[in-house]
Amino acid sequence: MGKKGGGAAAAGGKKGDAKGGAGGGKGAGGKGGKGGATDAGKETKEKKGYNHVKVRHILCEKQSKSLEALAELQKGLKFNEVATKFSEDKARNGGDLGWMVRGSMVGAFQDAAFALSNSTTANPNYVQVKTKFGYHIIMVEDKK
């Protein structure tokens, strides 16, 4: 339970920071021409470093099944094994979605994916989000 809570807290904190940072850049741009151009350049550089995530997920249509998968992860099972057993989409092969580009994912999934820290299938840092597709348990293996 600590891993889920930690991931959710980290995702929430980082989402807030990102929104604040983007808002600050826009505000500075409105105050002065030079300041706006410099801030926009910095914002672009930051995004370049994190435009792709190598992500795995477990997708369940029903919350009850998603909670079963979370319980298995909390017992210490590997993420890819739990994904193979519980995921209800094409990524059943260990939940691997491969490299995903910013803008190609639905909002809540994307926000959570970019907010999570990198982890491994043996010791995953994960978070659960709900989208129009169902309940996702997400972990990120790498970012670029």
Side-chain angles (χ1 to χ4, degrees), residues 17 37 39 64 98 117 134:
D17 292 346
D39 289 347
S64 58
S117 58

Side-chain angles (χ1 to χ4, degrees), residues 37-64:
T38 303
D39 289 347
K42 286 180 183 176
E43 191 173 317
T44 303
K45 285 181 184 177
E46 287 177 20
K47 285 185 178 181
K48 277 187 182 178
Y50 295 99
N51 273 340
H52 299 78
V53 287
K54 188 169 192 302
V55 65
R56 289 181 182 262
H57 81 149
I58 300 166
L59 174 63
C60 302
E61 185 180 334
K62 298 191 185 236
Q63 186 178 21
S64 58

Side-chain angles (χ1 to χ4, degrees), residues 57 133 144:
H57 81 149
F133 300 106
K144 62 180 182 179

Side-chain angles (χ1 to χ4, degrees), residues 13 31 33 43 46 48 50 65 72 96 99 101 117 142:
K31 290 182 180 179
E43 191 173 317
E46 287 177 20
K48 277 187 182 178
Y50 295 99
K65 188 168 182 180
E72 295 291 308
D96 190 5
W99 287 99
V101 179
S117 58
D142 200 4

Side-chain angles (χ1 to χ4, degrees), residues 62-83:
K62 298 191 185 236
Q63 186 178 21
S64 58
K65 188 168 182 180
S66 177
L67 293 174
E68 287 179 47
L70 281 171
E72 295 291 308
L73 289 170
Q74 291 165 356
K75 288 179 189 175
L77 271 69
K78 290 183 178 182
F79 193 94
N80 57 322
E81 293 170 357
V82 177

Side-chain angles (χ1 to χ4, degrees), residues 83-103:
T84 300
K85 182 177 178 183
F86 287 93
S87 195
E88 299 171 349
D89 74 335
K90 65 178 181 164
R92 290 194 71 178
N93 188 15
D96 190 5
L97 295 175
W99 287 99
M100 302 289 289
V101 179
R102 187 184 298 273

